[in-house]
Amino acid sequence: MAYPPKTTTPSSSKIRIISGKYKAHHIEFSARKNADLRPTSDRLRETLFNWLMPYIVEAKCLDAFAGSGALGFEALSRLAKSCDFFELDAQAIKQLEHTKNKLNADNANIYHANVLSHVQHCLNYQLIFLDPPFKSELLSEALSLILANENISQDALIYAEYPTITPPDLLVHFSILKQTRQGAVSACLLRKQ
C-alpha cells in the first residue's frame, strides 16, 4: 500500500506574557523545524523588563525583528505607549496580527517590511529591541544604522540579544548599561555614546 508523502505543517508553540495588563495571556507562534524564530526565554525577558522598569511606561518602542512579538507585547502589557513591530516572515506576520487582535492592542503597529530601511531614517524611539536570527549579520547592521541615525538620541535604550560566543564588534561604540549571560545567549542594554 502506498502512503501519501509526508507534509510538514507548522506546529504551534506558545509563550506567556509575564506581567502587566496582558499577564498570563499566551502568544502563539509557528514552531517550524530549523526555523530562525527563537523567542526570548521567560527568564531573560524577566531580567530585561526588570532593567526597563523605570523607563517602560509611556515609551515608544520598536520591536525590530519581531518574530513572535514577545518583547513588544510584553512592553505594551507593561504600559508602553506604542510598539512598532517589523517582520519579514509572512507566517510570523499572521501570528502577530492574531496576537494584536486577541489582546485588542490598538497601540501595536505591525509592518511586513525590512526594518533596516526603517532604522536608517526613523525618528526617535525610547526603546529598541534587537533580537534577530543568530545566524545572520542583522544585529551588526542594525547597530551600525542606529549609530548613524541622528534622529535616534543618546537617551534611547537599545536591547541586544546575541550568541555568547560571538558578541557584535560594534558594542564598543555604545555604553553598556546592563548585561547578562544565560548559557549560549547573552544580552545587554545599551545607549549611544
Side-chain angles (χ1 to χ4, degrees), residues 6-19:
K6 284 186 178 178
T7 57
T8 55
T9 56
S11 59
S12 182
S13 295
K14 296 179 181 180
I15 50 176
R16 68 183 175 88
I17 294 175
I18 298 167
S19 188

Side-chain angles (χ1 to χ4, degrees), residues 145-187:
L145 291 169
I146 287 168
L147 282 171
N149 184 344
E150 293 178 3
N151 293 322
I152 298 175
S153 78
Q154 291 178 324
D155 292 332
L157 294 170
I158 301 140
Y159 170 76
E161 195 171 315
Y162 50 89
T164 298
I165 58 170
T166 55
D169 295 337
L170 285 172
L171 289 182
V172 298
H173 298 288
F174 291 85
S175 298
I176 299 176
L177 307 176
K178 303 272 187 182
Q179 62 188 136
T180 188
R181 174 182 170 179
Q182 295 182 6
V185 178
S186 287

